[in-house]
Amino acid sequence: MAKAKKDIKKVVLAYSGGLDTSIIIPWLKENYNNCEVIAVSGDVGQGTELDGLEEKAIATGASKLYIEDLNKEFVEDFIWPTLKADAVYEGKYLLGTSFARPIIAKRIVEIAKAEGADAICHGCTGKGNDQVRFELTIKAFAPDMQIIAPWRTWEFKSREDEIAYAEAKNIPLKINRETNYSKDKNLWHLSHEGLDLENPANEPMYNKEGFLELGVSPEQAPDKPTYVTISFEKGVPVAIDGEKLGAVEIVKKLNKLGGENGIGITDMVENRLVGMKARGVYETPGGTILYAAHAKLEEICLDRDTLHYKELVANRFAELVYFGQWYTPLREALSAFVDSTQQTVTGDVKFKLYKGNIIDAGVTSPFSLYDEEIATFDEDEVYDQNDSAGFINLFGLPIKVQAKKKGL
């Protein structure tokens, strides 16, 4: 049975310091009998967004703030498995926000249990996907924990209302009414939603100062191409241009290279889990390069049937991640299948980055299934072209029988 408001004395809040969570702290104290609010921020690569967060959280009423460094775990345990699956939601979205939520929510549950909290609170809207991602993870690790979702119950109807409340409470914000895009930033990507982007007829203002944060538009990229080589071992990126790097460093370095060359800007209208269509602009420079490189390597390392079946798995895997179903038996089972396909996905992929384009410049692998002697148009000693006639006769037999039945 859910606890009454008067019984909730300690709440752990998923805290980003953005508009929603900034006003939630005083709102919780006003509406839940001056309950203790413990703020938790999961560091998944937000960078400067975490600066001054503790001072701000305490100034607005929190008793303490946890800042948890989750970067390494985020890349190795969430990004790499999704990359190995080649999972892309609706053909475009590289799942930057989607797989960041479960790792944050899991850590929040751990802290809530350690603190003896009565409830967990998040600032996700009732229209978005994140509410599902947070709450499914909470259910997976604390099935009886009470969840407070202010956007479903409070008096505010818009971000304008929230800003007015923040101003009335003297809560400092890093946004204003004119630049009030809804953004989510982490090590993998940056998303932009709202304002002029809500009308799909409007072209995003890529060249407007301050819009793009992880790179430049293709028009602003250098006129000279940049070459980069990414090395993989069993489907996992391990080196750039021959230099062995850790998981976090690989993403950061490719973000820099990709951003400088206008790589990874995606404008899409996606189908949210809650049923509506939503328009967003995503910056994923390093991730876009890694996905392209991994897929290129699989072209030569995986047999046809495995590659084609894996494409089916990738679509379902992407849905599970997008829908917040990371901690489910099916996602774990699909990851086991994916891992079994990656045993030979080892090698080097070379790209030319130029004004938003990723251009193939060579791929090698000790496990390559490509045989130049078999594939050549020149004379060879290993392929008897006469064998193809019998193959075609058998492969086409059903078509031939059907045609005869039609009297042709």
Side-chain angles (χ1 to χ4, degrees):
M1 181 181 293
K3 292 184 177 181
K5 283 188 176 183
K6 61 181 176 60
D7 296 324
I8 294 176
K9 296 178 172 57
K10 185 182 292 189
V11 179
V12 170
L13 168 66
Y15 184 74
S16 69
L19 176 58
D20 294 326
T21 56
S22 292
I23 68 171
I24 281 176
I25 295 175
W27 184 88
L28 281 171
K29 297 181 79 67
E30 288 176 0
N31 288 270
Y32 286 83
N33 298 301
N34 198 34
C35 63
E36 180 184 357
V37 179
I38 298 170
V40 179
S41 294
D43 179 2
V44 286
Q46 300 94 313
T48 58
E49 291 183 7
L50 298 172
D51 294 347
L53 216 54
E54 182 175 15
E55 180 182 353
K56 181 178 180 180
I58 292 174
T60 51
S63 63
K64 67 176 77 169
L65 170 69
Y66 288 88
I67 298 180
E68 302 293 293
D69 184 356
L70 305 174
N71 283 275
K72 187 173 184 290
E73 182 182 352
F74 177 40
V75 179
E76 294 181 346
D77 295 347
F78 292 81
I79 294 178
W80 285 173
T82 307
L83 171 67
K84 288 191 289 185
D86 300 298
V88 181
Y89 185 68
E90 296 189 338
K92 285 187 174 183
Y93 178 43
L94 299 186
L95 300 164
T97 299
S98 307
F99 49 32
R101 297 313 188 219
I103 184 175
I104 295 171
K106 180 173 181 287
R107 185 66 186 120
I108 288 170
V109 169
E110 292 168 352
I111 290 173
K113 287 182 174 180
E115 288 281 356
D118 303 303
I120 292 174
C121 179
H122 64 74
C124 308
T125 75
K127 289 185 176 182
N129 301 303
D130 279 347
Q131 58 182 334
V132 182
R133 296 164 184 156
F134 270 106
E135 294 186 29
L136 291 190
T137 300
I138 294 169
K139 291 179 186 299
F141 294 100
D144 296 323
M145 180 68 70
Q146 184 153 336
I147 299 170
I148 301 173
W151 260 108
R152 299 176 194 157
T153 60
W154 66 12
E155 62 273 26
F156 312 123
K157 304 301 180 185
S158 68
R159 289 172 71 81
E160 287 288 322
D161 290 347
E162 291 182 281
I163 292 174
Y165 180 84
E167 291 173 346
K169 296 290 183 181
N170 295 314
I171 298 172
L173 300 174
K174 293 181 180 180
I175 62 173
N176 58 50
R177 295 175 188 271
E178 287 70 42
T179 61
N180 185 20
Y181 286 107
S182 177
K183 296 188 178 186
D184 177 72
K185 183 179 182 180
N186 60 41
L187 186 65
W188 187 247
H189 89 155
L190 173 65
S191 65
H192 310 255
E193 293 180 313
L195 296 182
D196 55 301
L197 297 178
E198 290 189 344
N199 185 347
N202 292 333
E203 179 182 3
M205 296 180 288
Y206 295 132
N207 293 325
K208 181 180 179 181
E209 184 178 355
F211 184 80
L212 295 178
E213 296 183 28
L214 301 186
V216 299
S217 68
E219 297 96 324
Q220 294 173 317
D223 294 329
K224 182 181 178 180
T226 298
Y227 283 89
V228 62
T229 299
I230 301 115
S231 301
F232 291 81
E233 291 180 5
K234 295 186 177 182
V236 174
V238 294
I240 298 174
D241 295 328
E243 181 187 4
K244 290 274 189 177
L245 296 170
V248 174
E249 288 69 32
I250 284 175
V251 175
K252 286 183 176 179
K253 185 164 185 176
L254 289 178
N255 273 341
K256 183 176 185 297
L257 289 175
E260 291 170 348
N261 287 278
I263 304 295
I265 302 169
T266 299
D267 179 1
M268 71 178 292
V269 175
E270 69 199 56
N271 289 291
R272 285 183 178 171
L273 174 58
V274 294
M276 71 185 69
K277 290 185 180 290
R279 196 265 189 104
V281 170
Y282 299 100
E283 298 179 61
T284 322
T288 300
I289 296 171
L290 285 169
Y291 262 78
H294 183 259
K296 188 66 183 177
L297 188 57
E298 285 189 327
E299 285 182 9
I300 66 170
C301 293
L302 296 186
D303 65 277
R304 179 189 63 198
D305 288 349
T306 300
L307 185 64
H308 289 185
Y309 194 80
K310 191 168 177 289
E311 290 173 352
L312 302 176
V313 171
N315 185 61
R316 188 69 182 99
F317 197 105
E319 287 183 338
L320 290 172
V321 177
Y322 188 85
F323 296 164
Q325 296 172 295
W326 186 270
Y327 296 108
T328 60
L330 179 56
R331 200 282 306 165
E332 293 173 0
L334 292 185
S335 282
F337 164 78
V338 168
D339 285 344
S340 74
T341 70
Q342 300 299 290
Q343 299 307 302
T344 59
V345 183
T346 294
D348 299 328
V349 180
K350 186 178 182 180
F351 284 146
K352 179 165 65 174
L353 311 179
Y354 183 66
K355 289 189 175 295
N357 295 290
I358 300 175
I359 303 166
D360 294 337
V363 55
T364 60
S365 170
F367 302 104
S368 175
L369 299 177
Y370 179 85
D371 189 318
E372 188 174 354
E373 188 176 6
I374 293 177
T376 182
F377 283 99
D378 294 330
E379 184 178 355
D380 67 83
E381 301 296 330
V382 297
Y383 187 94
D384 187 345
Q385 298 197 29
N386 289 324
D387 291 344
S388 64
F391 166 74
I392 294 170
N393 286 335
L394 294 177
F395 190 64
L397 184 59
I399 297 174
K400 183 177 180 179
V401 171
Q402 189 176 44
K404 284 182 171 295
K405 290 293 184 180
K406 290 179 180 178
L408 297 177

